[in-house]
Amino acid sequence: MSLLVVGLSHRSAPVSVLERASLSADAKVKLLHDTLAAEPAAEAAVLATCNRIELYADVDKFHAGVAELSTLLAQHSGVALEELTPYLYVHYEDRAVHHLFSVACGLDSMVVGEGQILGQIKDALALGQEQHTAGRLINDLFQQALRVGKRAHSETGIDRAGQSLVTFGLEQLAVHLPVGEWAAGKRALVIGAGSMSSLAAATLARVGVAEIVVANRTAERAERLAEILVASGTGVTASAVAMSGVPDELTRVDVVVSCTGATGLVLTADDVMGAVSWAAADGLAQAGPGSAPAEPESRGAAPDPAPQTPAGLGLASAEPGVNADGMDAEVVARLVAAARDGGRLADAGAARTITAGAAVDRDGCPVGLDAPAGDPARAADGRAALTGVDANSLELHGTWADQGEAAAQRQPRRGTRTQADGAAVRLALLDLAMPRDIDAAVHRIPGVRLVDIESLAEASADAPMAADVDAVRAIVAGEVAAFGAAQRAAHITPTVVALRAMAAEVVAMEVARLDGRVPDLDERQRAEVTQTVRRVVDKLLHAPTVRVKQLASEPGGAGYADALRELFDLDPLTVASVSRADAADKNDDSGRAS
């Protein structure tokens, strides 16, 4: 039997494919059992994270194993095999071991050196043990991968080469500011209470946010996480809300981190648009005509650098009859009414798109919503130009305006879906789920900054590699060689045990025969003769068995077990029974993932 891994990751597949191929908890269990039911596989484990989906199996046939594992991945992920195949990679035997050890050390992570993957490997092994699909090879492999990962983090500075996905995501949201300075005093909403969401909440508390609200489908888990945060000693205020309370929380928080196991969107573009618009309109209504919206005192964040419309950007100058925020009383009333009704605001992007249109010299809007040179009245009032326009036309107009903004700015931060650096951010969103929790379209909403798995992948491509990466690669190479040698040596052990058992049986038979031929031997003499015969047999077998283990541990040494069986005419059933007993003992002693 040989180790085989078939999978796809952020390195081989676009995020859109990874998102569609993600596995639910039930799908993982079914995939494991279907893999064992397949003819080529004897044991299996599945490692499924937001960045990778990998199926490990002990197979007796390489080509049949690849075909079967690929088909099973396609069936349980819901992505057609012909579509999935171009993104799949295959590793076999030592290359498969090298791959998992590299993954465990964070060398294959989106953010090099991150430690979150160790917990995910531990969970994968625990699931295989729970479902009884992890046999001797999978147990040995994953347990050793955990040890190698821990060794890499303790003996090198690989942690300095990268950081957790949460920290990296917050750095992308903070853009030009240190994360601690950017986060100080902010309110945050964490959606989900699993391992990644808990890590996100703990990270937010550590970097200095003032308040964290946890929303989760299971209220008890959200409340427990909130209690842990309060007791963490960071001084953060934490509370729990039901998922139904998320829309209200969106109107009062500055940062949202979402990582749930939902198969659909948790936050739609309409949800975010409504929250941002309501918050802006509410601020304007409280401030009164001619005043900028007041920032809530409890938020603790620095005030926005410029007055903001509900679209997230201030107009270039105030017109007659318009307040300092570029909004007259009628528009404020419309905003408040629309926000209360939960609808999308028809003129939400007017200020941004008209400003962009004036700044960039390019072809006209494809649906005629730009301001023609011969129509100064229309150029002066962008909102009038958008009145009554259907949603599809607004989308086309927004795309055209975004292209103009990108051309004018010329310095977008790669990998971060964001507004222009000069625009204040009303709501920062970090989506760490796969499939995504937050509609990707929210990055087009003025005043909203979105960082998701796809943008993190793009940003991390530019991250510098630390010198410690080479040291970790050396550790992995050495551990792979040691693991392979141990596995090959273990492969011949049942044959050696069977040989020694046969020799012991021969000694016992000959001693019994001696008793029959020389019945007058007393007990002391019989014991001495028996011990002498055993010593002779042991000495004859010692050198060959030690040497055959050494030879079997080297590459290509698998044939020595067969040679030993042939030379000593060992019963294959006896060898197999030793293997089964050894595997049972191994599984009993392995315990749960540690």
Side-chain angles (χ1 to χ4, degrees):
M1 304 296 282
S2 300
L3 179 67
L4 174 68
V5 55
V6 178
L8 67 161
S9 73
H10 65 99
R11 295 185 182 275
S12 69
V15 172
S16 58
V17 174
L18 279 173
E19 188 176 51
R20 292 171 54 208
S22 60
L23 300 173
S24 65
D26 289 341
K28 292 178 190 177
V29 173
K30 292 177 181 177
L31 175 58
L32 286 174
H33 289 293
D34 286 353
T35 301
L36 256 63
E39 183 177 345
E43 50 184 289
V46 58
L47 177 59
T49 74
C50 57
N51 294 324
R52 69 183 66 251
I53 303 168
E54 296 175 345
L55 180 56
Y56 292 78
D58 188 7
V59 299
D60 57 0
K61 298 175 184 177
F62 172 73
H63 293 289
V66 171
E68 191 67 39
L69 266 59
S70 301
T71 301
L72 289 170
L73 276 177
Q75 288 176 351
H76 290 276
S77 68
V79 179
L81 181 59
E82 58 272 18
E83 185 178 356
L84 195 63
T85 299
Y87 306 111
L88 293 177
Y89 47 76
V90 175
H91 298 298
Y92 191 53
E93 294 186 330
D94 283 355
R95 289 300 306 169
V97 176
H98 188 281
H99 174 73
L100 181 59
F101 287 5
S102 297
V103 169
C105 293
L107 292 179
D108 198 58
S109 296
M110 183 179 294
V111 181
V112 174
E114 61 92 12
Q116 182 75 10
I117 187 63
L118 284 174
Q120 294 161 335
I121 291 174
K122 182 178 178 180
D123 291 343
L125 175 57
L127 179 62
Q129 292 171 336
E130 178 184 333
Q131 298 299 320
H132 304 290
T133 63
R136 175 175 181 169
L137 177 60
I138 293 297
N139 269 296
D140 287 351
L141 175 69
F142 276 68
Q143 292 279 9
Q144 188 61 26
L146 291 171
R147 286 189 284 268
V148 173
K150 293 174 183 177
R151 179 188 169 194
H153 284 279
S154 65
E155 295 183 12
T156 74
I158 189 66
D159 294 50
R160 296 192 298 268
Q163 58 265 113
S164 74
L165 210 57
V166 175
T167 305
F168 190 55
L170 294 179
E171 286 186 353
Q172 300 304 301
L173 287 177
V175 190
H176 301 306
L177 292 175
V179 173
E181 180 181 340
W182 170 81
K186 280 184 165 59
R187 289 172 174 165
L189 169 65
V190 175
I191 304 178
S195 58
M196 182 64 83
S197 297
S198 299
L199 175 62
T203 303
L204 287 168
R206 177 174 53 82
V207 299
V209 298
E211 179 183 351
I212 298 176
V213 178
V214 182
N216 191 58
R217 285 189 296 271
T218 305
E220 291 79 5
R221 296 188 66 182
E223 292 168 357
R224 176 58 179 157
L225 178 53
E227 291 173 359
I228 293 173
L229 292 172
V230 172
S232 65
T234 59
V236 69
T237 299
S239 59
V241 297
M243 289 296 291
S244 58
V246 167
D248 288 337
E249 295 298 329
L250 284 177
T251 64
R252 58 185 294 270
V253 299
D254 308 285
V255 185
V256 177
V257 180
S258 185
C259 186
T260 73
T263 55
L265 292 176
V266 175
L267 294 181
T268 66
D270 284 337
D271 295 332
V272 177
M273 173 69 86
V276 173
S277 301
W278 167 259
D282 188 49
L284 286 169
Q286 291 179 21
S291 301
E295 194 74 15
E297 293 180 3
S298 59
R299 178 168 297 171
D304 290 343
Q308 299 297 302
T309 70
L313 294 176
L315 293 176
S317 62
E319 302 172 18
V322 181
N323 66 18
D325 294 294
M327 307 296 295
D328 58 25
E330 180 182 354
V331 173
V332 171
R334 289 174 57 200
L335 286 169
V336 173
R340 285 175 176 166
D341 292 339
R344 181 184 292 275
L345 304 181
D347 60 349
R352 175 173 64 96
T353 55
I354 298 304
T355 302
V360 182
D361 183 15
R362 63 189 186 279
D363 295 334
C365 173
V367 292
L369 295 181
D370 52 333
D375 190 356
R378 187 177 180 186
D381 190 357
R383 288 182 294 276
L386 298 181
T387 301
V389 178
D390 63 273
N392 290 335
S393 296
L394 280 175
E395 183 71 13
L396 287 173
H397 173 67
T399 301
W400 165 78
D402 280 347
Q403 292 169 349
E405 289 175 354
Q409 294 155 16
R410 297 191 182 280
Q411 291 183 337
R413 182 173 178 86
R414 185 182 179 194
T416 304
R417 297 179 175 186
T418 179
Q419 304 300 316
D421 287 346
V425 174
R426 163 64 188 88
L427 187 61
L429 306 170
L430 177 57
D431 185 358
L432 298 174
M434 185 65 70
R436 71 181 77 241
D437 278 349
I438 303 175
D439 190 346
V442 304
H443 83 281
R444 305 250 343 267
I445 301 174
V448 173
R449 188 190 306 276
L450 169 66
V451 171
D452 56 18
I453 292 295
E454 186 172 10
S455 60
L456 283 175
E458 294 172 0
S460 65
D462 291 336
M465 299 289 286
D468 293 285
V469 169
D470 289 337
V472 173
R473 286 174 175 158
I475 289 175
V476 169
E479 291 284 358
V480 170
F483 183 82
Q487 289 297 307
R488 287 186 290 268
H491 180 69
I492 203 171
T493 297
T495 304
V496 172
V497 171
L499 174 60
R500 289 191 172 276
M502 185 191 73
E505 185 178 349
V506 170
V507 169
M509 291 174 59
E510 290 302 318
V511 169
R513 181 172 176 273
L514 181 63
D515 284 342
R517 299 188 63 177
V518 187
D520 297 335
L521 291 176
D522 57 32
E523 289 298 324
R524 186 185 65 80
Q525 292 171 328
R526 184 181 295 106
E528 184 64 32
V529 171
T530 302
Q531 187 63 26
T532 298
V533 175
R534 286 176 177 168
R535 281 199 298 266
V536 171
V537 172
D538 286 343
K539 288 182 178 180
L540 287 174
L541 291 180
H542 176 72
T545 53
V546 169
R547 184 58 180 154
V548 79
K549 286 182 179 180
Q550 294 173 344
L551 294 172
S553 67
E554 298 173 358
Y560 285 99
D562 295 333
L564 206 60
R565 286 194 297 269
E566 289 292 331
L567 287 172
F568 289 92
D569 194 24
L570 299 176
D571 184 0
L573 295 178
T574 302
V575 176
S577 65
V578 174
S579 299
R580 287 194 296 272
D582 188 51
D585 291 342
K586 182 70 177 179
N587 289 339
D588 289 342
D589 294 340
S590 64
R592 311 308 292 176
S594 60

